[in-house]
């Protein structure tokens, strides 16, 4: 069975995306059915990707 409740390894791999992360008690559950901790969202990734792009731009600008 392929899907949310499959006990095997994930059939799909999304490289470079961040999941939401730990809850208010700093606990993280790596469980496919826990979407609060494990979903990938545009809001969660946009800030991170923008920060990485800004740091890379700053580094390249200073190395010239």
């Amino acid at each position: 069975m392929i899907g949310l409740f499959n006990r095997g390894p994930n059939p799909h791999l999304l490289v470079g995306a961040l999941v939401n992360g730990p809850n208010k008690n700093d606990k993280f559950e790596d469980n496919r059915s826990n979407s609060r901790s494990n979903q990938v969202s545009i809001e969660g990734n946009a800030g991170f990707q923008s920060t990485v792009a800004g740091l890379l731009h700053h580094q390249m600008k200073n190395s010239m």
Side-chain angles (χ1 to χ4, degrees), residues 3-6 9 11 24 27 31 33 36 40 42 50 53 57:
L4 179 63
F5 301 107
N6 182 9
K24 65 181 180 181
K27 300 289 182 192
N31 183 340
S33 64
R36 286 186 176 234
V40 175
I42 292 173
S50 298
H57 174 76

Side-chain angles (χ1 to χ4, degrees), residues 2-64:
I2 296 176
L4 179 63
F5 301 107
N6 182 9
R7 294 187 183 264
N10 286 321
H12 307 287
L13 179 64
L14 184 56
V15 177
L18 298 175
V19 295
N20 284 342
N23 64 17
K24 65 181 180 181
N25 299 319
D26 203 28
K27 300 289 182 192
F28 178 76
E29 179 185 1
D30 189 10
N31 183 340
R32 280 178 238 185
S33 64
N34 182 351
S35 64
R36 286 186 176 234
S37 293
N38 295 297
Q39 74 179 4
V40 175
S41 65
I42 292 173
E43 302 89 25
N45 282 275
F48 176 74
Q49 297 298 333
S50 298
T51 301
V52 171
L55 289 170
L56 179 61
H57 174 76
H58 182 70
Q59 181 183 11
M60 292 175 65
K61 186 175 135 182
N62 289 337
S63 67
M64 293 181 156

